[in-house]
Amino acid sequence: MNPVRHVHAALDRFARRYLFADAAPLSPHERWRSAIAALLGVLIFEGVLFVLPVSADARRLLAPLGASSVILFALPHSPLAQPWSVVGGLLLPALVGFACGRWIPVNYLAVGLAVAISVWLMAWLRCLHPPGGAMAIVMAAAAAQGLDAASSIAATGANALAMLIAATAVNNLLPGRRYPLCSPAVSTPVPARRSPAGVQHPDLAAALTELDTYLDVSENDLAQVFQRAARHAFHRHVLLRCGDIMEATPVRVEFATGLNEAWRLMNRHSLAMLPVVDRGQRVIGLLRLEDFLRHVEPDRDESGGLRIGDNVRRLLRPTPGPHASKPEVVGQIMQTPAEGLKSVATEEGIAAAADLLGEGGQRGVPVVDEAGRLTGIITPATMTAVLFQHEALDYVQADKA
């Protein structure tokens, strides 16, 4: 091998192992978004600092807030960027740094102790914020130069408040971001779903405790990374198509099928759902057992228990005459595409159906051909059987190997 190439390869391995971070690179879109957020955020920060009703000395811009702006506008979902981390991670080091600079006469020892004590306090109070180290040094130097303690601490508080206002304003304007992280991402909370391998938040918390080191990622983000990785692994390893596992030619009903007839078909075939099609056999809805129950109010019997049998029979019984005060046909109670129902194509991988049955929350997934006509349906029972079979085959192949 060429000696120059050998040296180059050795340097490349060294750099990749010891110098370069193993983090995923930011996309060009995210780089631009972070840069624009930083520009707007710092402008808002300086504007808020200018109008705060504090003394002129307290409105001065502190250099450590430049480092804070990188965290707040490039990594807004990091635990290091949350409000308590910013406030505690700036004010505590400021107090410690000023005390060390005032009471310890040796300058280098005052600076070293200020940073060390600040790190210990921030870790203990769970408000780690890297610019806190710079704040401790700045305040230790200010105390050594005889600056006023009150105005220095007031300046720190004003800077922290202005930066939080700027971070909240800018990050909540950008799509895909929210600040603080604890604020809800949507107006109605979505219940946490079980991850593909059954790993839950307590398991992640236990794993983080065992590591006993600080990871710059929240538990929620870690769970999301795990779920996404599991889904990508599923897409990669399971190569079956939806047409390979679907229940072909399923029992189906039309929009105008009476509720009594649909109920009879579900009982006869032991089904929990029925696809609804138009005259061209294109999927227009899905009828589930819970769709019937949504239109039935339970009654209490003499013992105080709940019963719905009579009310179900009243719902299923056709109403004589042209007018009715209750649903009469399947199309009046079914789940529709407008309500979130989605279908998959026969040629799609079964991971698409698994996503809809899992995170999508569907009880069944209609399978359609190229023309959109119903060809089959995939139920949770079907998917579970396929996954167990796939796992069993993996074990057999591993034993043979």
Side-chain angles (χ1 to χ4, degrees):
M1 183 177 178
N2 189 312
V4 176
R5 289 185 178 180
H6 182 75
V7 172
H8 182 270
L11 290 173
D12 183 67
R13 287 195 301 271
F14 175 84
R16 290 180 180 274
R17 183 172 182 180
Y18 297 106
L19 301 182
F20 297 147
D22 197 24
L26 292 178
S27 66
H29 175 73
E30 182 61 20
R31 289 199 298 271
W32 276 108
R33 188 160 58 172
S34 297
I36 293 172
L39 172 62
L40 295 177
V42 171
L43 291 177
I44 294 174
F45 164 59
E46 293 192 62
V48 172
L49 199 61
F50 179 76
V51 300
L52 281 178
V54 292
S55 65
D57 287 340
R59 288 202 296 265
R60 67 181 185 271
L61 183 67
L62 298 177
L65 272 294
S68 292
S69 65
V70 175
I71 297 173
L72 286 166
F73 301 117
L75 307 168
H77 296 164
S78 166
L80 302 175
Q82 302 316 301
W84 170 235
S85 295
V86 176
V87 174
L90 292 175
L91 286 177
L92 284 173
L95 292 170
V96 171
F98 208 93
C100 291
R102 180 65 57 86
W103 296 332
I104 299 175
V106 183
N107 185 52
Y108 65 85
L109 183 59
V111 169
L113 283 175
V115 174
I117 295 172
S118 297
V119 169
W120 191 92
L121 283 175
M122 287 189 292
W124 179 48
L125 296 174
R126 301 181 66 178
C127 57
L128 277 173
H129 191 61
M135 185 64 75
I137 294 175
V138 166
M139 288 301 167
Q145 295 171 6
L147 296 182
D148 179 56
S151 64
S152 297
I153 301 303
T156 303
N159 276 247
L161 176 61
M163 185 59 80
L164 284 179
I165 293 173
T168 303
V170 172
N171 285 316
N172 288 315
L173 288 175
L174 296 176
R177 292 188 179 189
R178 68 183 192 274
Y179 188 85
L181 189 60
C182 60
S183 61
V186 292
S187 56
T188 55
V190 178
R193 297 190 182 276
R194 206 174 162 82
S195 64
V199 174
Q200 300 295 299
H201 280 266
D203 305 317
L204 295 174
L208 292 173
T209 302
E210 288 180 4
L211 285 176
D212 195 23
T213 187
Y214 187 85
L215 295 181
D216 187 14
V217 60
S218 69
E219 189 178 318
N220 287 333
D221 287 340
L222 192 60
Q224 189 177 108
V225 168
F226 178 85
Q227 291 173 0
R228 289 176 181 267
R231 187 165 67 250
H232 282 290
F234 184 84
H235 278 261
R236 188 175 68 254
H237 291 299
V238 182
L239 302 179
L240 293 171
R241 300 172 305 160
C242 292
D244 297 328
I245 69 166
M246 68 182 183
E247 298 176 20
T249 61
V251 180
R252 63 197 73 186
V253 292
E254 296 185 357
F255 185 99
T257 302
L259 296 183
N260 192 34
E261 173 65 12
W263 184 270
R264 186 181 61 81
L265 288 172
M266 295 175 81
N267 282 334
R268 176 191 295 179
H269 299 281
S270 300
L271 300 173
M273 68 200 73
L274 287 172
V276 186
V277 297
D278 61 15
R279 291 184 178 181
Q281 298 303 304
R282 290 180 291 271
V283 177
I284 60 172
L286 188 69
L287 180 66
R288 308 158 298 176
L289 284 176
E290 55 261 40
D291 294 324
F292 288 93
L293 299 179
R294 281 191 293 112
H295 294 83
V296 175
E297 291 292 336
D299 294 328
R300 291 193 178 275
D301 56 24
E302 296 178 357
S303 63
L306 295 177
R307 61 180 183 183
I308 61 172
D310 291 340
N311 291 344
V312 170
R313 283 187 284 272
R314 277 194 291 271
L315 174 68
L316 300 179
R317 188 180 302 123
T319 302
H323 303 289
S325 59
K326 66 178 183 65
E328 295 289 324
V329 297
V330 165
Q332 293 177 287
I333 67 171
M334 67 182 184
Q335 181 191 21
T336 66
E339 296 171 335
L341 175 65
K342 295 182 179 179
S343 303
V344 293
T346 53
E347 297 302 315
E348 285 189 82
I350 66 171
D355 286 345
L356 294 177
L357 291 172
E359 292 189 1
Q362 287 190 199
R363 298 298 180 89
V365 180
V367 184
V368 299
D369 61 15
E370 293 180 355
R373 294 185 295 265
L374 179 69
T375 59
I377 192 167
I378 297 175
T379 64
T382 305
M383 186 62 67
T384 300
V386 170
L387 294 180
F388 272 126
Q389 183 182 19
H390 180 74
E391 188 173 352
L393 289 175
D394 282 347
Y395 278 122
V396 170
Q397 292 173 358
D399 290 340
K400 288 181 178 179

